[in-house]
Amino acid sequence: MLRYLPPLKECPLSDPKMVDAVVMIDDVPAGVRCHTRDDLERRLLRKLDLRMSIILILYALNLIDRTNISNARLQGFEKDLHLHGEQYATTLSILSVGYITMQVPGNMILHWLERPSVILPCCMLVWGTISILSGFYTGIVVARFFLGLAEAPFFPGVVFLVSKWYKRDEVALRIALVSSGIFLSAAFGSLLASGILHNMQDKLGQAAWRWLFYIEGGITISVAICAMFILPDFPYNTRWFTPEERELAISRLAEDGHDNADELGKQTTMQGLRDAVSDWKVWFFSFATMFQIVGQSFTGYFPTLCATLGYDATVTLLLCAPPWVFGGMIAFALTWYSDKKKKRYQCFMVSNALCILAFIISISTMDKAARYISLFLMAQVISGYLLLFGWISNTFAREPAKRAIAIALMNALGQTGSVIGAYIWPSSWGPTYRYSYAICIAALGVSTGMFGGMYLYLKHLNEQIERNEQDVHDINELRDPIGFRYLV
């Protein structure tokens, strides 16, 4: 019985390192893993996790540059730019238009060029520059559109990069870890904004909200340059891996049910596009995600909702931080449990249920304590959103090009929910925002129901795969690898 044997021409057995890495286990009882292989795998994951951890900072900066407009709103942004009525909502939604436009092309380019260590930081350089220019430029709607174009390839590219390195029962926690920049940006971004808006008013004749764009954009550019030397590419072309580590990274994914194309890059980008758009599951995931994002649209108005507690701008921004810290803690716990138990939908459903409870509390009372507690329960809903990306990566694990398009398409169509959500929080509905919360409850209810339908369908497929394995006479007749199951 051979656990793993890479091609001899690529790793000769005369190499003493490979004697440890390539293990013949004829004398080891079935089901018992080799300790040497386990040790190598743990070292590989530690090295990879350390490199990937910079994505946490990158994603935090991504969201800080995207959402700093909501903090600027508290310090004269609308007044200085003479925005009235729905114009502020338009500045929020127009970013999503640019964001949607470049999602799928961005991931197609990433799969084609195979250099995320260059492409993702370059996107950062562009959006950091646009963020700085937003402080100078009065045509904020145009600037926000191009900001969306520049940011679009980043998040789906990150999810695809993670899915190319980790096994299916490792993906959800890793996506949560690298995406915890959501919580870091919401917490630290509010604290940074509080300091800038409080101390930089009229410095060099500039309004404090303009300094917010200058400083945060400058930080993004600096970090992007460093990221080029830290981020990995894909298992088969990352330069700072040893040959042994590269072979182990590829083999562990093959054992987990990833297709050979995943390691060799044989499936073309256009094949992936055709496969993705012809699979109804991709569209179903995408439209369900749209409702989910409408239900999460409060995130773009979080400082405004916190301001309904009645405090000044500085205190309001400080109060925004703790709910997101709590949300991050819940995300780590929920995704860890989801990976450990290989459960996706149940954990997602719990997260949505807690958020709906928070909306009901906010509808029912104007009590400060109760409404502030509800903000904590709202913030954790992002953990369920992160689980979705782990789930879709698992569902299309065996087809890398298709997976790249599916992730981008799901995020792109899902972001139409941001366009809709930008208009369901008009100031005239404040400070209670009861109608807004009611719309969010309905949207989360629809998304939970749709994903529940997908959960039942994938369970049915797993039962069908198991029956096929039991009935088949020749394993070559099976469409899926032995032991492959969809994670639900």
Side-chain angles (χ1 to χ4, degrees), residues 168 279-282 285 391 394-396 399 402 453-470 478-481 483-488:
R168 290 180 301 138
D279 189 336
W280 70 268
K281 295 193 296 297
V282 173
F285 269 116
W391 194 7
N394 297 154
T395 304
F396 306 105
E399 302 135 316
K402 179 179 178 179
M454 180 61 72
Y455 163 74
L456 295 175
Y457 174 72
L458 293 179
K459 277 190 69 176
H460 169 72
L461 287 185
N462 283 342
E463 294 168 357
Q464 193 175 59
I465 292 171
E466 187 171 357
R467 285 195 301 269
N468 291 341
E469 288 180 358
Q470 293 172 351
L478 292 174
R479 291 183 56 190
D480 302 291
F484 174 84
R485 298 292 185 275
Y486 291 99
L487 296 190
V488 294

Side-chain angles (χ1 to χ4, degrees), residues 145-394:
F145 172 77
F146 283 103
L147 182 66
L149 284 178
E151 290 190 349
F154 183 77
F155 183 64
V158 164
V159 174
F160 182 54
L161 176 62
V162 171
S163 73
K164 290 279 282 185
W165 281 101
Y166 294 100
K167 295 194 293 187
R168 290 180 301 138
D169 60 355
E170 299 168 346
V171 164
L173 179 59
R174 262 53 179 216
I175 289 177
L177 288 171
V178 300
S179 300
S180 57
I182 293 176
F183 308 103
L184 184 63
S185 70
F188 176 71
S190 295
L191 297 177
L192 178 62
S194 175
I196 294 172
L197 295 177
H198 182 70
N199 296 302
M200 298 300 291
Q201 182 65 31
D202 295 326
K203 298 293 183 181
L204 301 179
Q206 298 288 311
W209 67 262
R210 295 186 186 274
W211 282 107
L212 190 65
F213 289 106
Y214 304 155
I215 294 172
E216 292 178 350
I219 294 173
T220 296
I221 291 174
S222 301
V223 174
I225 295 171
C226 298
M228 290 184 180
F229 303 97
I230 299 174
L231 281 174
D233 289 313
F234 296 137
Y236 45 83
N237 67 341
T238 295
R239 296 169 182 173
W240 41 260
F241 261 12
T242 66
E244 296 83 2
E245 290 171 333
R246 181 176 296 110
E247 293 293 347
L248 178 58
I250 293 172
S251 71
R252 65 193 295 272
L253 293 176
E255 293 168 3
D256 191 50
H258 287 243
D259 193 78
N260 286 338
D262 211 1
E263 65 182 75
L264 301 175
K266 289 180 180 178
Q267 190 180 29
T268 69
T269 304
M270 293 308 298
Q271 284 176 328
L273 177 62
R274 286 193 295 268
D275 290 345
V277 298
S278 61
D279 189 336
W280 70 268
K281 295 193 296 297
V282 173
W283 296 100
F284 192 91
F285 269 116
S286 300
F287 284 108
T289 303
M290 180 188 70
F291 285 101
Q292 181 69 21
I293 292 178
V294 171
Q296 296 172 185
S297 59
F298 68 88
T299 56
Y301 291 83
F302 203 80
T304 300
L305 298 180
C306 206
T308 63
L309 299 178
Y311 300 101
D312 63 31
T314 301
V315 174
T316 293
L317 289 172
L318 293 174
L319 288 175
C320 287
W324 293 109
V325 174
F326 174 78
M329 295 167 61
I330 295 296
F332 292 142
L334 202 61
T335 52
W336 173 83
Y337 179 83
S338 174
D339 275 348
K340 184 177 178 62
K341 299 297 183 180
K342 300 185 178 181
K343 296 180 183 295
R344 294 290 187 250
Y345 177 71
Q346 291 94 327
C347 295
F348 167 78
M349 185 171 59
V350 168
S351 177
N352 272 9
L354 289 174
C355 189
I356 289 174
L357 175 62
F359 292 153
I360 293 173
I361 293 173
S362 294
I363 288 174
S364 304
T365 181
M366 286 299 292
D367 179 74
K368 288 185 178 181
R371 288 177 73 87
Y372 191 53
I373 289 173
S374 73
L375 293 177
F376 282 77
L377 296 178
M378 288 181 209
Q380 62 74 43
V381 77
I382 302 299
S383 59
Y385 181 62
L386 297 178
L387 278 172
L388 291 181
F389 286 94
W391 194 7
I392 195 170
S393 296
N394 297 154

Side-chain angles (χ1 to χ4, degrees), residues 136-153:
F136 293 99
Y137 185 53
T138 55
I140 191 66
V141 172
V142 176
R144 294 281 294 177
F145 172 77
F146 283 103
L147 182 66
L149 284 178
E151 290 190 349

